[in-house]
Amino acid sequence: DAVMWRSAAGRLKFTPTDGLEVVAEGRVDVYDSRGQLQLYVERMTPRGAGSLELAFRQLKEKLQAEGLFDPAAKKKLPRFPRGVGVITSPTGAAVRDIARTLRRRWPAARVYLLPTIVQGEAAAGQIAECVRAMDAAARRLGIDTIIVARGGGSLEDLAPFNDERVARAIVESRIPVVSAVGHEIDFTIADFAADLRAPTPSAAAELVVPVRGELRDTLGRMRLRLESHHRRLREHLADRLASLQERLRDPRRKIAELRMA
């Protein structure tokens, strides 16, 4: 027989299910009241798959069944954002890449950084709280897009972004959230929950803002088309006016002609 106390079970990264083959580690002792030898399980891992990988699959299936990843519920990003909120580590490469890209492409947008840890046991709870805090302050600060980001890493490094609390905070946000976690090949639960997934932090910045130079060129072409259309319209109206003037001659001449008839 085997038993696992709640304190140890709370540290599991996956949910044990009937029929799952596991490797259990712990200590063997005698259960005094029955005089029975049993295993006190302190650590448990799925056999054939890592606990983090299994936890990822289980959580993805659960949240998908609840409809949290429904494409129809995704919010659209504003075309010309007034303010962009960034939730990431204040010292990592991700924040520098995002700031550089936003400044180059669309300096008109205000950028707000809400720093958080992005790795370790406490990270998931802090990231979820940051998303909620940023969403709550969005109207007051003029923020209309949130980027949640961190650089690449192992499955263990990205574990906070595979947390149910983070996923629910992203889905509950009233303004659109872009997830930019890891490298292009990395996928997290946060990516599925977000309104848009970016392959890298710098790509997220490119997705949320237009390019100022391209917009200036577009406006220039629109201005030329408008001026050309206005010129043609003026010429057309001038021709019509001349034609009407020709047909609507002085009525006194018409009366004189009728008298002579």
Side-chain angles (χ1 to χ4, degrees):
D1 290 342
V3 62
M4 184 178 229
W5 299 119
R6 180 179 298 176
S7 57
R11 294 192 296 270
L12 289 178
K13 301 297 185 182
F14 68 101
T15 302
T17 56
D18 290 340
L20 180 66
E21 189 174 3
V22 299
V23 177
E25 302 175 68
R27 58 185 177 84
V28 175
D29 206 345
V30 175
Y31 184 33
D32 293 339
S33 62
R34 295 182 183 174
Q36 177 179 337
L37 193 69
Q38 67 179 22
L39 174 65
Y40 291 86
V41 181
E42 296 169 353
R43 294 172 301 279
M44 184 190 300
T45 54
R47 186 170 181 180
S51 59
L52 290 176
E53 182 183 349
L54 180 59
F56 173 86
R57 293 203 305 265
Q58 289 178 336
L59 182 58
K60 182 184 176 185
E61 291 170 1
K62 173 187 174 182
L63 299 182
Q64 194 164 22
E66 291 183 30
L68 266 67
F69 305 154
D70 185 2
K74 303 296 185 183
K75 296 176 284 295
K76 291 184 178 180
L77 272 62
R79 188 174 181 185
F80 305 111
R82 299 167 299 159
V84 178
V86 181
I87 298 171
T88 190
S89 167
T91 58
V95 69
R96 294 193 297 271
D97 292 343
I98 291 171
R100 189 184 307 114
T101 304
L102 292 176
R103 187 166 54 247
R104 171 174 51 84
R105 289 173 63 95
W106 192 247
R110 296 184 300 276
V111 183
Y112 299 88
L113 171 65
L114 189 52
T116 179
I117 57 174
V118 293
Q119 192 169 328
E121 291 292 332
Q126 192 172 128
I127 295 165
E129 285 303 313
C130 285
V131 173
R132 292 192 175 93
M134 185 77 78
D135 181 50
R139 179 174 295 181
R140 176 170 54 86
L141 298 177
I143 298 172
D144 40 28
T145 308
I146 295 175
I147 298 175
V148 178
R150 74 148 284 159
S154 65
L155 191 58
E156 289 79 8
D157 295 335
L158 303 181
F161 298 91
N162 288 322
D163 189 282
E164 184 172 353
R165 292 167 293 177
V166 173
R168 293 193 182 279
I170 289 174
V171 171
E172 291 165 5
S173 174
R174 293 166 296 180
I175 61 175
V177 177
V178 178
S179 174
V181 180
H183 297 306
E184 190 167 356
I185 60 172
D186 297 318
F187 276 87
T188 65
I189 296 296
D191 293 329
F192 295 108
D195 298 290
L196 185 66
R197 183 246 178 189
T200 63
S202 56
E206 292 177 355
L207 289 170
V208 301
V209 295
V211 180
R212 179 178 54 174
E214 292 179 1
L215 182 61
R216 186 189 297 115
D217 293 343
T218 300
L219 290 174
R221 290 192 296 270
M222 292 174 66
R223 178 182 176 182
L224 291 175
R225 287 200 299 269
L226 185 60
E227 289 175 348
S228 176
H229 175 73
H230 185 244
R231 185 173 59 255
R232 290 196 302 270
L233 182 60
R234 275 204 324 267
E235 293 171 353
H236 174 68
L237 292 176
D239 291 343
R240 286 193 62 190
L241 180 61
S243 176
L244 288 172
Q245 288 175 336
E246 178 65 25
R247 284 183 294 171
L248 297 176
R249 293 177 296 173
D250 188 342
R252 287 173 296 184
R253 290 179 58 188
K254 181 67 176 176
I255 292 173
E257 291 174 358
L258 291 172
R259 280 178 179 170
M260 293 172 62

